[in-house]
Amino acid sequence: MTPNLDLFPIGNCSISALIDRQGRYVWACAPRVDGDPVFSALMNGSEPAHGYWAVDLEGLESVEQAYVRNTPVLRTVLTDKDGAQVEIIDFAPRHPKHSRTYRPLALGRIVRPLKGTPRVAIRLKPSADWGAREAEHTSGSNHIRYRCPDVTFRLTTDCPVSHVLNERTFRLERELTFFFGPDEGYDQDVGPGVQSALDRTIAYWQDWVRKLYLPLDYQEAVIRAAITLKLCAYEETGAIVAAMTTSVPEFQNSGRNWDYRYCWIRDAYYTVRALNRLGAVDILEGYLVYLRNLVDDAAGGHVQPVYGVGLEPGIGESIVETVEGYRGMKPVRIGNQAHEHLQHDVYGQIVLPLVQAFYDQRLLRPGTIEDFRALEKVGDRAFAMHDQTDAGLWEFRTIARVHTYSSVMCWAACDRLAKAADYLGLADRAEFWNERAAIIRERIEREAFLPDEGRFAASFGNRELDASLLQMTDLGFLDAHDPRQVATFDAIERDLKKGAFLFRYVEPDDFGEPETAFNFCTFWFIEALAQNGRIDEARQIFDEMLARRTSAGLLSEDISVEDGELWGNYPQTYSLVGIINCAVLLSRSWTDVR
């Protein structure tokens, strides 16, 4: 079976996994999302020898899959050629327990006959050493222990253990339960225990969704995007990863294979901003803790664009040779060189979410004067770097320029510090930061503006375009109807739009010319269309993007203009943010149905 991105994520903010259209686990890392893949089949070719967990139905004819309403709990129904059916329920436990949230490094699976006399085989073959080999195992009367490099898992089950060990095909006559979790005894009957965890997990997620403030329209798309963004949060530290996978190429045989299982300051900023629109304050609070720790560690100095989920600064990039890669397309990378880059937009993306803590009365820990003083050090760095070359938000590896987007983000840092100071009654600091913001604004308007075309360029002293210029309105630097922004929008539409989709840029970069559109940029374009009064066009393109989602209702990073195939890491937080932002913008008002 050729790997593709039509995958269903499950998770609990501690562990996550991707399940394919046959109900097989094909990707899951442990003990963290950036760890060694316990299930690696996504990167191991069309007929992997291991790295998966399958329930194979003899004579399989068809598959139906869907999430339990408003949860990341997946229901798969397999039907054989004679009409016999098997139901599989997959989830990661998450629910209240002992005055805390129970979110173990564990996956639950229930397999039950629905109709007829189905014959199945349970094939559980975790991988080790990045897919180089099958994990070693030992077994007992009711469990199998799998020794993975960084964690030992134990499968506790009421299925005959020999059925699993021998991959025996057998008649499924009763419900079977599997708990794949920490190497410790399961302290209750596995069937009732896992069923109770399932019921409580469903209740948790449905209650979480119930508290979201949703737009009137597009609710299904927004709910699924919001749930999946929450799954991309590593709750122990508050980090938010850019995606669950590594090395799915941006397009076929491109070499643009990156590891996105880390916390980019930029991506996380956009994520918490989108979720904040829905009132999901829990993720914002966790991420603010992560950011405050980064601010303390930086002590007014350089801030990396990306860190490990445990706040690690060192996430050195290397290439793994033990797996074939997605559809055989190498390289497969661990780590990301971007941690070495200068990307000055990060200073704005630190300040903007943190200043919310000074205003938001919902937070358990409001911002303090001490927090503001610490944040001013970030503002000092933003001012110092606003006119310095960097790799830009697209993380060019061999191109250094003064990128307009980075400078605008530095301006936003100073502008928001001024507003926060005013709110806190610090008049002298408000004046100080307003003066700095004005200096940066003047520099951007002088160095990035092209008078002959009446538009802005993507970098100082140059003429190239990139889609990030659309964010000048979103950040409050320019009004959408400012003639300079209108001219910039027109140029982007003319040069970067291909069919319904928008490219980040079209000039060759370190790896040649881009061949796929960047989904987040298409959503930026949809927002710009709406801001320019072209609502019908915005909705038409938004509908096109929604139609391109996977069966799980999700998107990856990139899309092929030619055939609409999804490429890049999955599920991509940027793209899910775009779904939420555009849905909120384009939806009818609740007053329209009163």
Side-chain angles (χ1 to χ4, degrees):
M1 184 176 181
T2 302
N4 61 58
L5 296 181
D6 199 6
L7 305 170
F8 287 79
I10 64 171
N12 62 6
C13 304
S14 178
I15 189 173
S16 58
L18 298 178
I19 298 173
D20 73 6
R21 294 287 283 145
Q22 290 189 353
R24 301 184 305 172
Y25 284 77
V26 296
W27 187 257
C29 299
R32 305 190 319 193
V33 65
D34 57 354
D36 194 298
V38 176
F39 298 114
S40 60
L42 184 65
M43 293 288 158
N44 252 337
S46 58
E47 297 295 335
H50 50 258
Y52 59 86
W53 185 3
V55 178
D56 287 342
L57 175 64
E58 189 173 74
L60 178 67
E61 184 75 17
S62 64
V63 182
E64 297 178 13
Q65 279 178 305
Y67 285 113
V68 175
R69 179 177 177 268
N70 293 352
T71 77
V73 175
L74 179 63
R75 179 177 183 265
T76 302
V77 176
L78 309 177
T79 303
D80 72 13
K81 57 184 176 55
D82 297 319
Q85 291 184 328
V86 174
E87 179 187 59
I88 309 168
I89 303 295
D90 288 299
F91 72 106
R94 180 181 175 88
H95 55 78
K97 183 177 181 180
H98 302 317
S99 301
R100 60 182 177 83
T101 300
Y102 176 64
R103 44 174 173 80
L105 193 72
L107 302 165
R109 169 163 262 190
I110 299 173
V111 181
R112 59 172 66 103
L114 283 186
K115 182 180 179 183
T117 55
R119 287 174 56 81
V120 301
I122 309 297
R123 295 188 169 93
L124 175 53
K125 302 174 77 70
S127 57
D129 297 338
W130 272 90
R133 58 182 175 85
E134 186 176 345
E136 298 175 359
H137 65 268
T138 59
S139 62
S141 57
N142 300 105
H143 74 270
I144 308 172
R145 180 183 292 110
Y146 297 91
R147 294 192 180 93
C148 300
D150 298 317
V151 60
T152 297
F153 280 98
R154 177 189 292 232
L155 177 73
T156 303
T157 182
D158 55 12
C159 175
V161 169
S162 66
H163 284 3
V164 180
L165 291 172
N166 297 315
E167 300 183 11
R168 181 180 297 132
T169 300
F170 62 96
R171 178 185 286 208
L172 183 66
E173 296 185 333
R174 62 179 177 86
E175 178 177 294
L176 300 177
T177 305
F178 304 85
F179 186 81
F180 185 77
D183 183 24
E184 54 194 40
Y186 197 79
D187 61 358
Q188 54 189 309
D189 290 343
V190 66
V194 171
Q195 182 63 53
S196 175
L198 170 63
D199 294 342
R200 297 178 73 182
T201 297
I202 291 172
Y204 167 84
W205 284 104
Q206 291 182 342
D207 185 62
W208 185 80
V209 169
R210 187 174 63 85
K211 296 172 183 176
L212 297 179
Y213 180 77
L214 297 173
L216 175 61
D217 300 318
Y218 312 111
Q219 289 192 15
E220 174 274 329
V222 169
I223 288 170
R224 186 51 50 197
I227 288 173
T228 308
L229 287 177
K230 185 173 174 66
L231 295 185
C232 289
Y234 184 68
E235 195 164 77
E236 183 171 295
T237 62
I240 301 170
V241 299
M244 294 179 183
T245 60
T246 178
S247 302
V248 181
E250 293 181 13
F251 50 89
Q252 189 167 352
N253 297 314
S254 64
R256 300 171 185 259
N257 302 24
W258 315 116
D259 191 349
Y260 279 4
R261 301 170 303 147
Y262 305 103
C263 184
W264 268 261
I265 304 303
R266 179 187 312 113
D267 301 50
Y269 155 71
Y270 281 110
T271 296
V272 296
R273 188 168 176 270
L275 288 173
N276 197 44
R277 290 182 171 184
L278 306 179
V281 71
D282 56 332
I283 301 174
L284 170 66
E285 285 188 306
Y287 181 60
L288 293 185
V289 172
Y290 185 86
L291 275 187
R292 283 192 288 265
N293 278 294
L294 289 184
V295 169
D296 287 349
D297 291 342
H302 169 65
V303 175
Q304 297 174 190
V306 56
Y307 290 84
V309 296
L311 296 157
E312 299 89 357
I315 49 174
E317 184 177 299
S318 61
I319 292 176
V320 177
E321 300 292 352
T322 52
V323 286
E324 297 180 26
Y326 181 77
R327 298 186 188 173
M329 299 176 197
K330 292 186 175 183
V332 174
R333 290 186 170 93
I334 303 174
N336 200 296
Q337 189 197 57
H339 79 280
E340 301 174 359
H341 290 183
L342 299 176
Q343 295 177 28
H344 302 320
D345 54 314
V346 299
Y347 302 108
Q349 288 142 2
I350 289 174
V351 170
L352 268 59
L354 280 172
V355 296
Q356 181 173 335
F358 302 121
Y359 304 93
D360 197 334
Q361 296 300 310
R362 298 172 300 169
L363 301 181
L364 295 174
R365 184 196 180 281
T368 65
I369 292 295
E370 291 75 18
D371 292 337
F372 180 80
R373 300 299 186 197
L375 204 53
E376 284 193 295
K377 295 179 181 179
V378 181
D380 289 336
R381 185 73 178 175
F383 183 73
M385 295 292 109
H386 79 272
D387 58 355
Q388 301 299 302
T389 60
D390 71 355
L393 81 163
W394 307 128
E395 300 184 341
F396 298 119
R397 296 197 168 201
T398 61
I399 301 172
R401 296 170 178 160
V402 181
H403 289 93
T404 305
Y405 175 84
S406 295
S407 293
V408 171
M409 266 295 181
C410 290
W411 166 84
C414 297
D415 177 75
R416 302 315 193 268
L417 282 169
K419 289 180 170 62
D422 184 66
Y423 180 80
L424 294 170
L426 305 173
D428 59 329
R429 303 312 296 165
E431 181 180 2
F432 176 83
W433 289 111
N434 274 322
E435 289 174 354
R436 285 191 159 184
I439 292 170
I440 299 175
R441 172 180 283 278
E442 188 279 330
R443 188 70 183 275
I444 295 169
E445 293 179 337
R446 174 162 46 89
E447 300 287 350
F449 186 66
L450 302 174
D452 58 327
E453 295 189 41
R455 67 167 178 88
F456 284 91
S459 62
F460 286 14
N462 295 297
R463 308 188 68 85
E464 83 281 11
L465 283 166
D466 85 46
S468 67
L469 293 170
L470 296 173
Q471 290 290 283
M472 296 174 81
T473 294
D474 191 67
L475 291 169
F477 189 84
L478 288 178
D479 184 270
H481 302 293
D482 187 301
R484 298 169 297 175
Q485 186 68 346
V486 172
T488 303
F489 168 75
D490 290 342
I492 288 172
E493 181 176 22
R494 180 192 68 224
D495 293 350
L496 301 187
K497 185 170 178 283
K498 311 294 181 184
F501 312 116
L502 202 73
F503 279 60
R504 289 173 290 182
Y505 48 85
V506 294
E507 291 80 12
D509 59 16
D510 316 299
F511 292 82
E513 293 185 8
E515 295 185 24
T516 49
F518 197 77
N519 290 329
F520 197 29
C521 294
T522 299
F523 288 119
W524 283 350
F525 181 72
I526 292 168
E527 292 182 75
L529 280 173
Q531 291 162 350
N532 281 273
R534 296 160 61 180
I535 301 294
D536 289 342
E537 291 176 70
R539 288 196 173 118
Q540 182 178 358
I541 297 176
F542 187 48
D543 288 342
E544 172 75 10
M545 291 299 292
L546 293 181
R548 297 296 181 180
R549 293 175 299 159
T550 63
S551 301
L554 306 172
L555 289 166
S556 63
E557 181 181 41
D558 306 279
I559 193 167
S560 169
V561 175
E562 285 73 27
D563 59 13
E565 182 173 3
L566 295 177
W567 291 91
N569 284 306
Y570 173 90
Q572 177 75 10
T573 54
Y574 265 160
S575 301
L576 305 183
V577 164
I579 290 173
I580 293 172
N581 289 343
C582 289
V584 170
L585 180 64
L586 296 175
S587 174
R588 293 170 297 162
S589 169
W590 282 98
T591 60
D592 293 340
V593 294
R594 289 179 182 173

